[in-house]
Amino acid sequence: MSVLVLTLAVSAACCLGFGFVLQQDAAQRAPLSDFLSPRLLLDLMKVPRWLGGLGLMIAGMVLGAVALGRGEISLVEPLLATNLLFALALSRRRTRQPLGRQGWVGLALLAGGVSAFILAGEPRAGSAVTDPLRHWLIIGVMVGLALMLTTYAKRSRLSWGPVLLAVAAGLLYGVQDALTRVSGQRFSAGGWTELFTGWQPYALLVIGASGLVLVQSAFETAPLRMSLPALTAAEPLAGIACGVGFLGDRLRTDTGALAWEAAGLAAIVGGIVLLGLHPAMPCGAAVREPERDLQPR
């Protein structure tokens, strides 16, 4: 594993984790009338804390994009999932909650799962699939699932809606990571002309903006412990599916390796859930007022 890729991916995870905590702290005070509306972003732009969180998230995405340009998406995605550790660290500093057994078990599962998946799978680069049908099929499945989850979320915005929105956003972010890598490859091959003559950068902008609205709506209507685990678990799974499906990433496929890879992914998801449900994670407001005005803090 490249030390540079490891450093970039972990630094990206740090920025993302801190950014998510700051964004949720501001988004939970947004009026519910902004739910799933681009107007939510316009309202949140008036809040300095949310802008700081957005800046950290963008920095994390840039670092993640550089890591994706230098390493396989199947390697980088599990490392990006450690953003939950940094979110928990910031939340613990604010709430002064001890890590406890749940925190240590979640930490061990997440760290062990990432290590097991990478060591067993040995992600390496291969030849990208040139058949556009494969691209559209995998991306279409991810986007279709995100749309379906968003539709169900509208019907249950204050119960399971935030979890569904977070999963939908995670699926879109996984596709965004894959398109970021493709866009970087096109730029390296032919510069700006090659980049902007393809559909990938435009799809990247649309998917990124859509994912941002979904995740802020999830943050708006539920505490971080309800939305962030789902977001963090869905993104690497979608990214790995894209990496293996059409970016040419290769993983070991012998029986033993597949068993450890599956166990690693299961441990990652389990660790994410335990850490996300940790008492240190912000609980959000006890009662939401439907039309409360957003006040800068």
Side-chain angles (χ1 to χ4, degrees):
M1 182 193 309
S2 168
V3 175
L4 178 58
V5 172
L6 174 63
T7 302
L8 288 169
V10 173
S11 299
C14 178
C15 291
L16 290 170
F18 289 168
F20 287 146
V21 172
L22 294 177
Q23 286 178 59
Q24 196 274 337
D25 186 68
Q28 68 178 354
R29 294 171 172 80
L32 286 178
S33 58
D34 286 350
F35 183 72
L36 287 179
S37 169
R39 188 173 62 249
L40 174 61
L41 302 183
L42 297 177
D43 283 343
L44 289 172
M45 286 179 184
K46 303 173 185 176
V47 184
R49 180 169 296 186
W50 186 83
L51 290 174
L54 179 65
L56 285 171
M57 188 181 79
I58 292 173
M61 288 182 171
V62 171
L63 290 170
V66 177
L68 288 167
R70 296 175 175 270
E72 291 69 48
I73 193 170
S74 301
L75 168 64
V76 175
E77 286 288 7
L79 295 172
L80 292 180
T82 61
N83 74 78
L84 196 63
L85 299 178
F86 297 99
L88 180 62
L90 179 57
S91 297
R92 281 192 66 233
R93 182 178 179 83
R94 299 169 65 187
T95 62
R96 302 188 182 279
Q97 284 276 356
L99 196 59
R101 180 181 299 178
Q102 178 179 341
W104 284 113
V105 172
L107 175 62
L109 283 174
L110 181 56
V114 169
S115 300
F117 179 82
I118 291 174
L119 291 175
E122 298 180 1
R124 56 199 183 278
S127 301
V129 176
T130 57
D131 181 9
L133 180 61
R134 178 84 69 89
H135 290 240
W136 286 112
L137 179 60
I138 296 174
I139 293 175
V141 168
M142 297 298 173
V143 173
L145 285 174
L147 289 174
M148 182 180 68
L149 292 171
T150 302
T151 300
Y152 280 107
K154 289 181 179 179
R155 303 174 184 174
S156 56
R157 67 167 68 180
L158 295 179
S159 54
W160 284 100
V163 176
L164 299 179
L165 286 179
V167 173
L171 293 175
L172 292 184
Y173 281 159
V175 174
Q176 175 184 274
D177 293 339
L179 293 180
T180 296
R181 181 174 169 186
V182 174
S183 297
Q185 292 172 340
R186 291 182 65 88
F187 179 77
S188 298
W192 295 106
T193 302
E194 179 71 15
L195 175 63
F196 289 115
T197 53
W199 58 268
Q200 289 87 353
Y202 307 104
L204 183 63
L205 291 175
V206 173
I207 288 176
S210 301
L212 187 59
V213 172
L214 292 179
V215 78
Q216 298 307 318
S217 295
F219 287 167
E220 177 191 24
T221 51
L224 198 64
R225 65 175 65 177
M226 192 172 180
S227 54
L228 189 55
L231 171 68
T232 306
E235 181 175 355
L237 296 178
I240 291 170
C242 292
V244 175
F246 62 81
L247 290 178
D249 287 3
R250 294 181 178 177
L251 298 172
R252 288 178 56 194
T253 56
D254 56 275
T255 304
L258 287 175
W260 277 105
E261 289 163 26
L265 289 176
I268 290 172
V269 173
I272 286 170
V273 171
L274 284 178
L275 292 174
L277 296 177
H278 193 279
M281 282 295 184
C283 296
V287 178
R288 288 303 315 267
E289 298 175 13
E291 298 297 334
R292 178 167 49 191
D293 290 333
L294 192 68
Q295 296 294 332
R297 294 185 61 191

